């Protein structure tokens, strides 16, 4: 064994005066090199401490620990149990001795730090710690508390070494010391210490409760966990311990034998009872075997050796601080602890109730109501405290009442703030809800308003009201009675915001309608244009126009009806009607125009016909020859058609004009036919008249001529003829007075008449000449015979 005990903490006084303050001294000179050694500093550390009342074999036991440590962690052999030592081998290591005077002072560490590497790769360093026994005659309560508290804080396993049994004062001490340690440590809400190992030395009741860990467990159960057997006063002590340590165990050790009291006792195994040795072999591995080692943790963090040094320095400073409280006598401390526990419980009761009342899930409470509850819970807490076994006189106890009241009052401010904050939170929540509602409203309305379709105002209002009502329902569902005022205010704001949004969406909707309407308007105009375009090319006859109108109107309407008009049906219908009206009007106007034009044309047409007819009428006042008539007809017709051709077509189609010209031609021919037949009739009549008059005239001529004899002289003949001729000619000339006179016909028959008259004249003249010759011959030859012949001839008188 190369190591040695190193006193790392020693206890001294500030100065030599009687009331001087006790101070701790830290042996950094030896501690620092030990803990920052390269071999150990980065290893997780296990610190096994033994503490408890003085003269109870702590150092003695630690020396057996050392034997195990060297055997297990240096020599690597503990299997044959030889590690416990030889029978004659004096026990060495931490200083121990018999007698009544204290031996160990302050806190010591064994200089050799034992190392172990777990197969997992985890590397640990194990440190053994011996401590000054408590309650020796020389030590003050503060010394005891300091040593116990510091060793508890530094170690990962605190072995609380107790004689014979766990007494109430043991627990009180333990509580006092651990509380003392707690004061020096920051409260992290976790259990501050790791393992507490009660070690009961000289267990006297083996037949009742067996030695070892099993017996220890039973004893611990009885003391810590059995509520029936435990006085309420102890209950708090036990609960306190449980909240201080992660793990609490107990081990019952037998008495080592009376030899240990002998002055020459060297700690040799031969002097120890077998039971004791047997339980050393059992106990020590339970604490020191690798599988049972506990690594020092602070706030759940494993501590390295080098960090342990920092903590020791830190704790050391805390304990030496002038502000650090002085522990009072055990009684006072116990009373303090006891009363404090009950006061704390009473405070906690107040705290719990107020916490419940003001929990985040609880509604805001009216200020006056909260104050009332505070008073009520404070009274309950005080009566709860009064009902507990409180230690000390009334004056001593008064401070706890005050403390509870102060606690309640000071905490009430906090609770009031928490409660107040709920109001702000409620407002914030309502505002968030309001914003969420507005977003929901906008989303619902946006979804609804996707697209170009207009929604009729009534339907729009209905939808809007529906969405608004759902949104308000959602908002109202979050309402709590306690924050009704805020809810009402923010709800009003929400309604106002929704109404503004309503106006916005309504405007958007109306804009859509306006857009749809303007589109309808535009398309209506386009349809009208299409109609106009189609009608521009239409034929000019009314029938063609009517047909074209029907087609163009149909196309225009078809085009127009394609325009989307959802939501603006009435407007669309109006426009459609307007379109129909406009097209019809346009049609009527075109038609009227055409009719007017046609009428005008017709008028002109008739005028032209009349012109022709007038001309014909004029010429047909006289009877004309067919040739003349035809020639006049051709002339007039040509003239009229020329006039027709001079007419502007006035928008009429060429075909139409050709057709009309043709018609005019035909009509003229028809008129001509009339005048021709009329003329023919007159001409015929006139011819007949001419013929008959000619015959009459000839008769007039012939009658006197017939009365002439062949013996009339030529002169007579001539004069007769001339008289008759003039008379006959006069008769014929009367024809000229006839209305139906025709010069050519008249001349023609006059000419014939003259020829016939000439022929008659010649015939009669010749006969007269013949008669004269006969007469002359007869005068001369037949003067005589004339008489005879005359007589004979009387039968046949000569013609002249
Ligand atoms: N009755 C009894 N005595 C023991 C036991 N173990 C050791 N002793 C004796 O108790 C005496 C004191 O032993 P120490 O180890 O010095 O005791 P300590 O608790 O370290 O004493 P301080 O350092 O003064 O606090 C010695 O004479 C030991 O022989 C035990 O289990 N029972
Ligand atoms: Mg000792």
């Amino acid at each position: 064994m190369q190591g040695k005990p190193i006193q790392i903490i020693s206890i001294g006084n500030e100065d030599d005066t009687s009331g001087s303050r006790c101070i701790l001294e830290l042996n950094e000179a030896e501690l620092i090199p030990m803990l920052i050694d390269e071999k150990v500093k980065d290893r997780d550390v296990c610190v096994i401490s033994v503490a408890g009342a003085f003269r109870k074999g702590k150092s003695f036991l630690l020396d057996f620990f050392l034997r195990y440590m060297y055997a297990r962690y240096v020599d690597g052999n503990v299997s044959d149990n030889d590690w416990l030592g030889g029978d004659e081998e004096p026990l060495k290591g931490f200083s121990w001795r018999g007698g009544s005077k204290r031996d160990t002072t302050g806190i010591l560490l064994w200089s050799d730090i034992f190392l172990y590497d777990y197969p997992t790769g985890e590397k640990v360093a194990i440190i053994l710690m011996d401590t000054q026994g408590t309650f020796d005659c020389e030590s003050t309560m503060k010394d005891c508390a300091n040593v116990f508290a510091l060793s508890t804080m530094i170690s990962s396993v605190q072995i609380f070494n107790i004689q014979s049994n766990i007494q109430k004062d043991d627990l009180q001490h333990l509580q006092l010391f651990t509380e003392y340690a707690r004061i020096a440590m920051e409260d992290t809400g976790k259990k501050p210490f790791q393992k507490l190992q009660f070690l009961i030395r000289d267990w006297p009741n083996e037949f009742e409760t067996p030695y070892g860990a099993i017996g220890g467990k039973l004893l611990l159960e009885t003391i810590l966990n059995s509520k029936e057997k435990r006085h309420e006063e102890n209950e708090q002590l036990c609960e306190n311990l449980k909240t201080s340590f992660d793990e609490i165990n107990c081990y019952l050790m037998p008495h080592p034998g009376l030899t240990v009291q002998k002055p020459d006792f060297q700690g040799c195994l031969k002097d120890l009872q077998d039971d004791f040795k047997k339980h050393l072999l059992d106990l020590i591995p339970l604490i020191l075997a690798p599988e049972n080692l506990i690594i020092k943790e602070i706030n759940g963090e494993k501590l390295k050796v080098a960090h342990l040094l920092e903590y020791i320095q830190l704790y050391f400073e805390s304990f030496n601080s002038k502000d650090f409280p002085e522990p009072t006598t055990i009684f006072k401390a116990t009373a303090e602890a006891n009363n404090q526990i009950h006061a704390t419980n009473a405070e906690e009761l107040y705290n719990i109730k107020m916490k419940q009342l003001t929990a985040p899930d609880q509604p805001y409470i009216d200020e006056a109501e909260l104050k009332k509850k505070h008073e009520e819970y404070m009274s309950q807490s005080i009566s709860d405290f009064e009902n507990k076994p409180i230690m000390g006189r009334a004056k001593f106890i008064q401070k706890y009442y005050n403390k509870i009241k102060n606690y309640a009052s000071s905490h009430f401010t906090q609770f009031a703030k928490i409660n107040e904050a709920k109001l702000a939170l409620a407002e914030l929540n309502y505002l968030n809800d309001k914003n969420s509602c507005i977003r929901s409203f906008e989303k619902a309305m946006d979804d609804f308003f996707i697209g170009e379709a207009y929604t009729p105002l009534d339907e729009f209002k209905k939808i809007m009201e529906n969405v608004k009502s759902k949104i308000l329902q959602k908002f109202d569902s979050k309402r709590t009675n306690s924050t009704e005022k805020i809810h009402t205010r923010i709800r009003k704001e929400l309604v106002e915001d929704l109404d503004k949004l309503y106006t916005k969406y309504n405007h958007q909707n109306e804009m859509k309608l306006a857009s749809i309407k303007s589109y309808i308007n535009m398309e209506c105009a386009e349809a009208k244009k299409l109609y106009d375009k189609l009608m521009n090319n239409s034929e000019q006859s009314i029938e063609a126009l009517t047909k074209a109108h029907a087609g163009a109107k149909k196309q225009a309407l078809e085009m127009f009806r394609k325009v989307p008009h959802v939501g603006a049906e009435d407007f669309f219908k109006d426009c459609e009607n307007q379109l129909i009206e406009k097209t019809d009007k346009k049609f009527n106007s075109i038609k009227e125009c055409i009719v007017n034009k046609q009428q005008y044309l017709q008028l002109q047409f008739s005028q032209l016909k009349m012109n022709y007819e007038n001309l014909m009428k004029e010429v047909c006042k006289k009877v004309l020859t067919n040739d003349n008539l035809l020639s006049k007809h051709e002339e007039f017709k040509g003239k009229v058609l020329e006039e027709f051709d001079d007419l502007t077509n006035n928008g009429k189609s060429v075909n139409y004009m050709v057709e009309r010209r043709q018609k005019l031609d035909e009509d003229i021919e028809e008129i001509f036919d009339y005048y021709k037949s009329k003329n023919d009739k007159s001409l015929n009549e006139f011819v007949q008249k001419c013929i008959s008059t000619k015959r009459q005239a000839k008769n007039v001529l012939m009658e006197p001529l017939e009365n002439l004899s062949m013996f009339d002289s030529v002169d007579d003949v001539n004069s007769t003829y001339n008289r008759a001729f003039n008379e006959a000619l006069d008769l014929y000339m009367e024809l000229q007075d006839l209305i139906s006179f025709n010069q050519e016909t008249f001349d023609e028959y006059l000419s014939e008449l003259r020829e016939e008259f000439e022929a008659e004249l010649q015939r009669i003249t010749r006969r007269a000449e013949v008669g004269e010759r006969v007469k002359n011959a007869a005068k001369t030859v037949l003067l005589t015979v004339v008489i005879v012949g005359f007589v004979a001839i009387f039968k046949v008188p000569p013609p002249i």
Side-chain angles (χ1 to χ4, degrees):
M1 194 186 298
Q2 300 91 25
K4 58 175 184 178
I6 293 176
Q7 181 149 27
I8 58 158
I9 305 260
S10 50
I11 301 169
N13 278 350
E14 209 165 24
D15 51 47
D16 290 337
T17 57
S18 59
S20 70
R21 203 166 63 92
C22 139
I23 57 161
L24 303 175
E25 284 165 19
L26 182 66
N27 178 10
E28 286 187 327
E30 286 190 280
L31 181 66
I32 293 172
M34 185 178 156
L35 298 186
I36 62 163
D37 189 299
E38 277 303 318
K39 281 189 285 211
V40 300
K41 76 177 177 61
D42 292 326
R43 286 174 170 260
D44 292 337
V45 64
C46 302
V47 183
I48 288 104
S49 160
V50 184
F54 82 118
R55 304 281 73 223
K56 298 298 179 212
K58 299 187 293 296
S59 305
F60 180 85
L61 180 75
L62 270 167
D63 290 342
F64 281 107
F65 279 19
L66 282 172
R67 284 187 177 174
Y68 177 85
M69 295 304 278
Y70 279 102
R72 176 67 186 84
Y73 295 108
V74 179
D75 304 333
N77 180 22
V78 288
S79 54
D80 53 8
N81 290 340
D82 280 352
W83 60 267
L84 203 54
D87 274 356
E88 301 288 344
E89 190 183 340
L91 187 62
K92 288 181 182 168
F94 288 103
S95 162
W96 68 275
R97 68 180 165 95
S100 61
K101 284 193 89 178
R102 74 172 185 190
D103 183 42
T104 312
T105 58
I107 296 177
L108 298 97
L109 300 184
W110 190 250
S111 65
D112 277 341
I113 296 179
F114 301 95
L115 310 178
Y116 181 70
D117 294 350
Y118 283 98
T120 56
E122 208 178 350
K123 294 174 188 301
V124 293
I126 309 141
I127 298 175
L128 296 186
M129 182 190 284
D130 194 8
T131 63
Q132 176 178 324
T134 50
F135 311 123
D136 65 278
C137 303
E138 297 167 54
S139 304
T140 64
M141 175 60 81
K142 184 164 184 180
D143 295 340
C144 302
N146 280 346
V147 168
F148 196 97
L150 257 173
S151 64
T152 307
M153 288 157 79
I154 295 167
S155 62
S156 54
V157 179
Q158 178 67 296
I159 300 170
F160 188 28
N161 197 60
I162 304 172
Q163 182 70 30
S164 303
N165 208 338
I166 301 175
Q167 306 287 337
K168 183 178 168 186
D169 60 343
D170 292 324
L171 295 177
Q172 286 174 341
H173 290 139
L174 190 58
Q175 191 194 354
L176 174 69
F177 300 151
T178 49
E179 280 305 314
Y180 201 58
R182 268 178 185 261
I183 296 169
M185 293 177 85
E186 203 181 328
D187 186 6
T188 60
K190 292 187 172 157
K191 290 184 180 180
F193 314 118
Q194 289 162 279
K195 182 170 175 179
L196 175 67
Q197 174 74 57
F198 285 98
L199 183 62
I200 317 295
R201 309 293 280 265
D202 304 346
W203 174 244
N205 308 314
E206 188 226 347
F207 300 107
E208 195 180 277
T209 312
Y211 297 131
I214 294 170
K217 197 174 177 201
L218 289 171
L219 181 69
L220 206 58
E221 282 278 314
T222 320
I223 294 169
L224 294 185
N225 298 335
S226 169
K227 290 195 176 172
E228 315 87 60
K229 291 185 184 172
R230 211 161 5 104
H231 190 280
E232 197 183 348
E233 194 182 337
N234 292 341
E235 192 178 325
Q236 198 59 50
L237 288 172
C238 298
E239 284 308 312
N240 254 19
L241 282 180
K242 283 187 200 172
T243 58
S244 296
F245 291 90
D246 285 335
E247 187 184 345
I248 302 176
N249 285 334
C250 180
Y251 196 92
L252 306 181
M253 276 297 281
H255 198 289
L258 293 175
T259 323
V260 299
Q261 292 167 0
K262 290 184 179 172
D264 59 345
F265 176 59
Q266 297 276 300
C268 300
L269 289 185
K270 66 176 172 54
D271 298 325
L272 297 175
Q273 282 196 13
D274 289 344
D275 252 356
F276 186 79
K277 287 188 274 187
K278 186 179 134 197
H279 282 95
L280 281 179
L281 286 168
D282 179 47
L283 165 72
I284 293 173
L286 280 179
I287 297 164
L288 299 177
E291 62 273 21
N292 296 323
L293 290 173
I294 292 173
I295 292 165
K296 177 68 184 166
E297 286 181 5
I298 288 181
N299 294 339
E301 295 283 326
K302 287 182 178 171
L303 207 67
K304 305 265 185 234
V305 176
H307 295 146
L308 181 68
L309 174 64
E310 289 169 28
Y311 276 100
I312 292 173
Q313 287 168 328
L314 201 73
Y315 294 152
F316 172 78
E317 271 173 35
S318 297
F319 278 93
N320 263 355
S321 156
K322 283 186 179 168
D323 302 331
F324 208 68
E326 288 280 335
T328 116
T329 62
I330 279 293
F331 174 77
K332 202 174 168 198
T334 308
E336 287 263 10
N338 175 69
N339 295 353
Q340 181 56 49
I341 287 163
H342 295 312
T344 306
N345 283 346
E347 287 165 1
E348 193 52 27
L349 184 72
Y350 168 85
N351 209 21
I352 288 168
K353 292 206 166 193
M354 286 302 280
K355 262 186 184 168
Q356 280 171 355
L357 195 67
T358 58
D361 57 341
Q362 292 300 312
Y364 164 81
I365 300 158
D366 182 69
E367 215 175 308
E369 177 67 15
L370 187 72
K371 181 92 182 153
K372 222 171 110 187
K373 284 283 177 193
H374 153 72
E375 304 282 354
E376 186 187 322
Y377 293 157
M378 191 164 68
S379 301
Q380 280 180 16
S381 296
I382 287 169
S383 42
D384 179 75
F385 178 72
E386 280 170 345
N387 292 334
K388 292 283 160 55
I390 304 162
M391 297 166 77
R393 294 187 186 164
K395 200 179 164 194
F396 179 67
I397 294 165
Q398 184 57 44
K399 74 173 183 181
Y400 294 101
Y401 288 120
N402 295 339
K403 195 171 170 296
I404 294 167
K405 280 183 185 167
N406 286 341
Y407 176 91
S409 300
S410 67
H411 281 70
F412 173 68
T413 321
Q414 296 295 321
F415 289 120
K417 278 183 188 163
I418 291 169
N419 190 48
E420 202 64 36
K422 278 185 189 168
L423 218 52
L425 190 70
E427 178 159 6
L428 197 69
N429 285 337
Y430 283 138
L431 282 173
N432 281 341
D433 290 346
K434 185 189 112 180
N435 289 337
S436 154
C437 284
I438 287 172
R439 283 197 300 278
S440 301
F441 181 83
E442 283 178 327
K443 188 173 180 312
M445 292 306 279
D446 285 344
D447 287 350
F448 175 71
F449 276 108
I450 284 173
E452 299 300 319
Y454 165 77
T455 309
L457 193 59
D458 283 352
E459 197 188 330
F460 171 80
K461 271 185 185 165
K462 221 166 111 188
I463 290 162
M464 214 299 295
E465 285 302 333
N466 196 16
V467 174
K468 184 177 163 186
S469 147
K470 278 183 187 160
I471 294 286
L472 288 176
Q473 260 177 29
K474 185 181 154 195
F475 185 76
D476 290 344
S477 68
K478 304 279 178 65
R479 188 184 72 84
T480 55
N481 287 339
S482 58
T483 54
E484 194 170 356
K485 261 188 188 170
I486 303 174
H487 178 271
T488 309
R489 175 164 56 80
I490 295 175
R491 191 184 197 276
K492 201 175 152 224
E493 287 172 19
L494 175 62
V495 170
E496 282 169 10
D497 287 352
L498 292 182
D499 286 347
K500 275 182 201 155
L501 283 173
Y502 165 78
T503 313
K504 182 187 121 186
Y505 281 107
N506 190 31
H507 181 64
Q508 270 182 25
N509 194 36
E510 289 307 317
M511 291 288 285
K512 276 185 190 175
L513 180 62
S515 162
I516 291 168
K517 280 182 176 177
S518 60
Y519 189 46
I520 291 171
N521 259 336
M522 195 186 77
E523 286 301 295
C524 185
E526 286 294 331
K528 176 72 179 24
K529 261 190 195 170
L530 175 69
Y531 173 83
D532 289 350
K533 192 179 148 200
L534 293 171
M535 288 304 283
N536 262 353
N537 298 332
S538 63
E539 288 296 326
Q540 295 300 313
S541 74
I542 298 299
E543 295 75 15
L545 185 77
T546 308
K547 204 173 157 194
H549 160 71
K553 183 176 167 184
K554 188 170 171 242
Q555 276 194 49
L557 280 171
E558 273 172 8
M559 178 188 168
F560 176 70
R561 280 167 186 157
K562 281 179 189 161
V563 67
H565 54 272
V566 177
E569 285 82 359
D570 289 348
F571 182 77
F572 174 79
K573 197 78 210 159
D574 287 350
C575 286
E576 190 183 39
N577 289 339
Q578 275 176 31
L579 180 62
I580 292 168
E581 208 174 291
K582 276 181 186 172
T583 52
D584 288 348
K585 206 168 162 186
K586 172 87 180 180
F587 165 65
N588 287 333
S589 127
I590 298 171
K591 195 163 76 174
E592 198 177 326
C593 186
I594 287 172
V595 168
N596 285 342
K597 281 177 191 170
Q598 282 179 355
Q599 279 176 351
Y600 179 64
L601 194 67
Q602 192 61 43
L603 206 66
Q604 287 176 319
F605 192 81
S606 304
Q607 191 62 52
L608 289 175
K609 280 203 297 187
M610 209 185 293
N611 287 351
Y612 169 82
E613 193 161 4
N614 286 340
L615 289 169
M616 286 304 286
K617 199 188 248 174
E618 194 55 39
V619 296
C620 287
K621 279 180 182 169
K622 291 178 181 171
V623 179
L624 300 177
T625 60
N626 278 338
D627 288 347
N628 267 350
L629 187 67
L630 196 58
S631 146
K632 286 289 172 192
H633 159 68
E634 293 296 340
E635 180 193 335
F636 298 155
K637 187 170 93 174
K639 193 177 164 203
V640 165
L641 287 177
E642 243 173 58
E643 281 173 24
F644 178 86
D645 291 341
D646 286 344
L647 291 176
T648 54
N649 62 0
N650 223 350
K652 307 286 178 192
S653 71
V654 175
N655 285 349
Y656 181 78
M657 291 305 280
V658 168
E659 192 183 289
R660 296 315 297 166
R661 195 178 193 282
Q662 179 78 31
K663 179 81 169 68
L664 183 60
D665 198 331
E666 284 166 13
D667 287 358
I668 289 171
E669 288 298 333
E670 202 174 303
I671 297 166
F672 169 69
D673 287 347
Y674 167 73
Y675 279 99
K676 185 174 178 298
S677 59
K678 199 178 162 199
N679 188 63
D680 283 350
K681 186 175 166 248
S682 298
L683 192 61
N684 275 335
E685 281 173 5
F686 188 64
V687 168
Q688 292 305 319
K689 197 72 183 170
C690 283
I691 293 168
S692 68
T693 308
K694 192 185 96 180
R695 197 182 305 119
Q696 283 173 10
K698 197 168 177 184
N699 287 340
V700 168
L701 182 77
M702 290 306 290
E703 203 176 82
L705 293 182
E706 290 291 334
N707 292 327
L708 289 174
S709 72
M710 67 181 289
F711 296 108
D712 287 334
S713 66
V714 173
D715 292 338
D716 288 342
V717 168
N718 279 339
S719 84
T720 304
Y721 173 79
N722 283 338
R723 269 196 320 272
F725 176 80
N726 287 331
E727 203 179 323
L729 206 56
D730 286 345
L731 180 67
Y732 187 76
M733 286 304 169
E734 282 173 11
L735 284 172
Q736 287 178 317
D737 299 333
L738 289 176
I739 297 166
S740 56
F741 175 76
N742 179 259
Q743 192 65 50
E744 288 80 2
T745 309
F746 176 81
D747 289 347
E748 185 190 330
Y749 285 99
L750 181 60
S751 175
E752 276 182 25
L753 188 66
R754 283 183 186 281
E755 281 174 15
E756 283 176 22
F757 281 4
E758 193 59 39
E760 280 304 318
L761 179 61
Q762 285 176 7
R763 185 184 62 83
I764 292 170
T765 305
R766 257 191 330 270
R767 197 184 72 173
E769 285 171 350
V770 169
E772 272 191 17
R773 272 188 317 266
V774 166
K775 250 183 346 177
N776 289 335
K779 274 175 180 179
T780 12
V781 171
L782 297 170
L783 198 34
T784 9
V785 192
V786 169
I787 301 166
V788 175
F790 185 72
V791 176
I793 295 168
F794 265 122
K795 287 187 246 171
V796 185
I800 298 176

